[in-house]
Amino acid sequence: MTVIVAIIVVVVILALIALKLSIRVVTQYEMGVLFRLGRVTGTRSPGLTWIVPIVDRMPKVSLRIITMPIQSQGIITRDNVSVDISAVAYFHIVDAVKSVVAIENVYSAIDQIAQTTLRKVVGQHTLDEALSETDRINLDIREILDVSTVDWGVEVTLVELKDIQLPDSMKRAMARQAEAEREKRAKIINAEGESLAAAALGDASDTMMAHPLALQLRNLQSLIEIGVDKNTTVVFPAPLMSTIGELGAFLARETASAARMAPQNPPPAALPVADLLSSVSNGSGRPSGSPAVHTQK
């Protein structure tokens, strides 16, 4: 009786051990690859599954997107500038059987091929292209990785350049270039402002020529602006040529009036306005071409 009980206990224990070894739970984001006596017999979907102990082996493969940082690489660009560039790659397994059978360690393989592809693609571009055309570089790296990893059952969804480290000398050169660019823009803006101001002044002068009173109003406005500072001296600006013209007209009127009042005495000939203007411009006080009178004691 005791022997029978002992046998029953041993059988129950063995059954529990076999049950434990045969039960497998596959998580929702995983896929099980079933090997029976070393050969792939299929896959197991998420949930509770059974295997034959000792005979079967079922590694589980994660199907989630994996974020893999690509360590910084010392790269020489096409224009012979040494830069350190790091990136990040996103990929996921689409064929669990290939990821287990075709390659030993898919994660290490992705890391190594991503580093070499990064160095290869960036080395084909200049520094300016690497800084300004990162989207195209990212796309080129992803396309190369997709071609290489398709046999491993892996799909690369995204590759992004994360950091670009430049030499100190190159940073200083780029700073000088940026400063020169800003100065160029400032000079262009200043020149455009001067051009617009000159055009506005030309329009204003045309308006004042068409309306003479506008110039007088502008003069009065200038006097008001001068008076704000409480100056004791006020200067009344007047156009020189118009003043000389008015003076010549006044002298002509006076000469004609004197001729009408005293016809018996012929008046002295009135100076033409042109001679008066030339005399004022010469600074001699007499018309140009008239003889000078010398008084001798």
Side-chain angles (χ1 to χ4, degrees):
M1 187 66 181
T2 306
V3 176
I4 296 174
V5 173
I7 293 174
I8 293 174
V9 171
V10 171
V11 171
V12 171
I13 294 174
L14 293 176
L16 293 176
I17 294 175
L19 182 63
K20 182 180 179 181
L21 293 176
S22 61
I23 294 177
R24 292 289 185 272
V25 176
V26 181
T27 313
Q28 181 65 40
Y29 55 83
E30 293 178 334
M31 180 69 69
V33 180
L34 183 62
F35 287 86
R36 178 161 295 169
L37 298 177
R39 299 183 62 181
V40 177
T41 59
T43 58
R44 293 293 183 267
S45 301
L48 185 64
T49 185
W50 301 85
I51 65 173
V52 179
I54 302 174
V55 176
D56 294 342
R57 183 176 64 89
M58 190 185 69
K60 291 180 288 186
V61 179
S62 177
L63 303 180
R64 293 180 295 182
I65 294 178
I66 299 172
T67 303
M68 176 173 290
I70 304 174
Q71 62 182 0
S72 180
Q73 302 290 311
I75 304 172
I76 298 178
T77 60
R78 194 175 64 185
D79 51 351
N80 296 326
V81 179
S82 178
V83 294
D84 293 334
I85 300 180
S86 60
V88 59
Y90 299 86
F91 66 93
H92 66 100
I93 296 174
V94 294
D95 192 329
V97 176
K98 288 183 178 181
S99 66
V100 175
V101 177
I103 192 166
E104 180 180 1
N105 189 335
V106 65
Y107 303 109
S108 177
I110 294 292
D111 185 23
Q112 295 299 321
I113 195 172
Q115 293 181 23
T116 56
T117 304
L118 174 64
R119 188 180 297 107
K120 175 182 177 181
V121 172
V122 176
Q124 297 175 354
H125 295 77
T126 62
L127 178 61
D128 292 338
E129 293 174 349
L131 294 175
S132 60
E133 300 180 4
T134 55
D135 292 339
R136 192 179 72 176
I137 295 176
N138 295 335
L139 183 60
D140 293 342
I141 296 175
R142 177 188 170 186
E143 290 177 352
I144 295 175
L145 290 178
D146 277 338
V147 173
S148 302
T149 59
V150 65
D151 295 333
W152 305 340
V154 176
E155 179 183 1
V156 179
T157 58
L158 184 64
V159 176
E160 290 288 341
L161 297 182
K162 187 169 61 174
D163 188 20
I164 301 178
Q165 295 291 335
L166 300 176
D168 294 337
S169 59
M170 185 58 62
K171 291 180 181 179
R172 290 191 295 268
M174 294 179 66
R176 290 194 300 268
Q177 179 183 0
E179 184 178 358
E181 183 69 23
R182 288 193 295 269
E183 290 180 357
K184 183 187 75 172
R185 294 179 182 177
K187 291 180 179 179
I188 292 174
I189 293 173
N190 188 21
E192 292 177 351
E194 293 290 341
S195 177
L196 294 176
L201 289 175
D203 295 339
S205 63
D206 294 339
T207 303
M208 289 182 180
M209 289 180 64
H211 304 280
L213 291 179
L215 181 59
Q216 299 298 329
L217 293 175
R218 186 69 187 97
N219 292 337
L220 293 177
Q221 182 65 29
S222 300
L223 293 177
I224 294 175
E225 294 176 356
I226 294 174
V228 174
D229 296 334
K230 299 180 180 179
N231 292 329
T232 58
T233 302
V234 178
V235 179
F236 291 91
L240 176 61
M241 300 307 295
S242 62
T243 303
I244 294 175
E246 292 174 358
L247 180 59
F250 173 74
L251 293 177
R253 288 195 302 269
E254 291 294 327
T255 302
S257 177
R260 288 193 301 270
M261 293 178 62
Q264 66 280 7
N265 296 326
L271 294 177
V273 176
D275 294 341
L276 181 59
L277 294 178
S278 62
S279 64
V280 172
S281 62
N282 293 333
S284 60
R286 65 176 183 276
S288 59
S290 61
V293 178
H294 298 278
T295 304
Q296 192 175 30
K297 293 184 181 180

